[in-house]
Amino acid sequence: MKFLHTSDWHLGVKTNGRDRLCEQKKVLEEILSIANYENVDTIIVAGDVFNTSSPSAEAEELFFDTIEKFSAGGDRFVLVIAGNHDDPTRLAAGLPLATKHNIAIVGGLEKIDEKLFNRNALVQVVETGKGYIKLQKNEELVCLAYLPYPTETRIDEKLDGELSLDEKVKLWAGIGSAAFSERSLNVFVSHLFMVGANLSSGKVKVGDLMAVSKSSLPKSDYTALGHLHAPQEFPGKVFYSGAITKLTPLQKDLSVVVFESESGKLLETKTVVLTAPAKYEKISVGSVEEAEEKLAGYDDNDIVELEIVQTEPLSASALKELKKNHQCITAISLVLKNEENEKISKGRKLLSDTELFRQFYFDAKGFEPSDDLVKMFLECKGEENETD
């Protein structure tokens, strides 16, 4: 059997006000093409389907339309678990309809009645229980143990409050993984931080405080994780597939993982890099003229956070013209330097009310307030005689 592991779709996310849904739709279509090309039998979505617990109707429509296509008319099995961004109850509300398409959507460890699934599918659900689903295709048997984003309020398995997160996760994960057997390919699916993993920047390590140690996860043939946006692999075939769109300028590759089994044994795994439909970058320039030159390489669908480092404030007209010429700009920040090329900065406590207001206004609008507006602010505050 062949499997595809993906996670962290974050459908409905906006970046500096820019809606990413159209971009996300293109990536999901590419993932479907990969699944079809690779003849994948099962698709695993390891959490954070949506960006918020109350997604838009458009984001939900894209989700349900996508997983229906993923199921290939019910022949392919699809497992979706809730991540920390998802409302587990809301996400799993469509389960009665989803199972007819051979799709399992789980928010907790509850058992799903195997009789609800498509009995004529190529990949059949043959057994279910708390925290696991067993699949069969021909003679091939697979056990999928799952643990959606693990918190006391989400997992309906109350434990001693004195236990550490590591201890709780080990117990919760053990509920489903108890169904693992030597006859089956054993796959564990969860959405969590793991000690030693890299964040999307590739520079910051997740510390021990909010992370789970690898030793607390059940021993499996393949571990499919979501939560961290940087694709990465650990010894023992533990994978983060990573996010499907760039959610920060620091992110690099986007990918899914395809793995294959035979006679209950893992044969191979491979990472398939996705094509990002849009660039998302932060660029720094020394002038508006340099910005115009660099931005020529971006189109309107790209996302650019622009930083301008210069000795003079930006004029409103220059800023307006820059945004008009380059729709890719979603944020502009100005770093002022003195003639010696030293960054001009003051702690907030050392700034006057006028300076604080000018800084706030620039951060909100992208250009300096007029003197009349500053005067009006000071009058409202009762400090119209304050000087810069």
Side-chain angles (χ1 to χ4, degrees):
M1 289 178 68
K2 263 194 175 181
F3 306 78
L4 185 148
H5 165 206
T6 177
S7 71
D8 295 274
W9 293 359
H10 289 276
L11 301 182
V13 69
K14 293 184 178 180
T15 300
N16 302 324
R18 174 73 62 84
D19 193 322
R20 310 287 297 277
L21 207 58
C22 205
E23 180 186 345
Q24 290 169 327
K25 182 179 180 181
K26 291 179 181 177
V27 181
L28 291 173
E29 288 171 349
E30 182 181 3
I31 294 173
L32 176 60
S33 296
I34 293 168
N36 291 337
Y37 177 79
E38 295 284 349
N39 293 317
V40 165
D41 300 293
T42 297
I43 294 179
I44 297 166
V45 185
D48 277 358
V49 171
F50 299 111
N51 195 56
T52 69
S53 58
S54 300
S56 66
E58 292 79 10
E60 287 191 310
E61 182 180 0
L62 177 57
F63 167 61
F64 286 111
D65 181 60
T66 298
I67 61 172
E68 182 181 1
K69 290 176 180 176
F70 277 8
S71 73
D75 281 338
R76 182 184 288 139
F77 182 78
V78 181
L79 172 66
V80 182
I81 69 167
N84 59 302
H85 281 253
D86 304 311
D87 179 327
T89 303
R90 180 168 182 164
L91 182 67
L95 180 64
L97 289 175
T99 51
K100 295 179 181 179
H101 297 275
N102 228 23
I103 301 167
I105 308 174
V106 295
L109 297 178
E110 61 277 1
K111 179 185 186 305
I112 304 172
D113 186 353
E114 62 263 29
K115 295 177 183 177
L116 295 175
F117 291 95
N118 185 345
R119 308 307 298 173
N120 298 313
L122 292 178
V123 178
Q124 291 195 9
V125 174
V126 293
E127 184 184 326
T128 61
K130 268 195 170 183
Y132 77 90
I133 295 174
K134 288 189 177 182
L135 309 174
Q136 186 168 356
K137 180 186 177 185
N138 300 325
E139 299 302 315
E140 193 75 14
L141 188 65
V142 176
C143 183
L144 299 176
Y146 51 82
L147 177 63
Y149 185 65
T151 68
E152 286 279 7
T153 56
R154 287 171 174 248
I155 305 299
D156 190 22
E157 289 289 332
K158 302 303 179 186
L159 300 173
D160 184 347
E162 298 300 316
L163 295 177
S164 67
L165 177 61
D166 250 342
E167 292 168 326
K168 289 176 181 178
V169 167
K170 188 171 186 176
L171 289 171
W172 284 328
I175 293 172
S177 62
F180 286 167
S181 75
E182 293 183 0
R183 290 185 54 243
S184 63
L185 179 81
N186 301 313
V187 179
F188 178 66
V189 185
S190 192
H191 189 91
L192 44 76
F193 282 115
M194 196 175 75
V195 172
N198 292 327
L199 297 178
S200 58
S201 66
K203 296 179 181 178
V204 182
K205 292 283 186 181
V206 177
D208 294 348
L209 184 61
M210 295 180 63
V212 176
S213 61
K214 184 172 176 288
S215 61
S216 295
L217 304 182
K219 291 183 179 179
S220 61
D221 297 306
Y222 182 95
T223 297
L225 298 179
H227 199 25
L228 300 185
H229 298 165
Q232 49 204 295
E233 177 186 357
F234 300 88
K237 300 300 180 183
V238 178
F239 285 82
Y240 281 98
S241 60
I244 65 167
T245 48
K246 290 188 177 182
L247 301 175
T248 73
L250 297 172
Q251 277 180 255
K252 296 181 180 179
D253 289 338
L254 308 171
S255 66
V256 297
V257 184
V258 174
F259 60 101
E260 187 174 1
S261 70
E262 185 177 325
S263 302
K265 303 298 180 184
L266 188 68
L267 295 182
E268 64 172 351
T269 63
K270 67 176 178 180
T271 298
V272 182
V273 177
L274 300 172
T275 304
K279 299 175 185 175
Y280 181 10
E281 297 174 3
K282 182 174 182 178
I283 62 174
S284 182
V285 296
S287 65
V288 171
E289 292 73 25
E290 186 183 352
E292 289 281 1
E293 183 179 335
K294 282 198 173 183
L295 290 168
Y298 298 86
D299 63 36
D300 290 349
N301 294 320
D302 294 330
I303 297 174
V304 174
E305 294 178 358
L306 180 66
E307 179 185 70
I308 301 178
V309 184
Q310 57 183 40
T311 57
E312 297 294 329
L314 284 171
S315 69
S317 58
L319 182 70
K320 186 177 180 180
E321 188 68 16
L322 198 59
K323 286 186 171 180
K324 178 183 175 182
N325 293 340
H326 304 282
Q327 299 296 314
C328 59
I329 299 175
T330 63
I332 298 179
S333 60
L334 175 66
V335 177
L336 289 175
K337 292 197 171 184
N338 58 23
E339 296 298 334
E340 286 73 39
N341 204 33
E342 295 174 339
K343 185 176 178 180
I344 302 171
S345 63
K346 288 185 181 181
R348 289 180 61 84
K349 291 182 180 180
L350 300 179
L351 295 177
S352 67
D353 286 340
T354 298
E355 290 172 316
L356 282 169
F357 177 71
R358 287 185 180 277
Q359 186 180 87
F360 165 77
Y361 192 90
F362 182 84
D363 288 343
K365 301 289 186 179
F367 54 88
E368 295 282 347
S370 66
D371 291 339
D372 288 342
L373 190 59
V374 174
K375 184 178 179 182
M376 187 183 302
F377 164 74
L378 294 175
E379 287 174 351
C380 291
K381 196 171 184 298
E383 300 177 11
E384 63 267 32
N385 293 321
E386 184 191 305
T387 57
D388 269 334

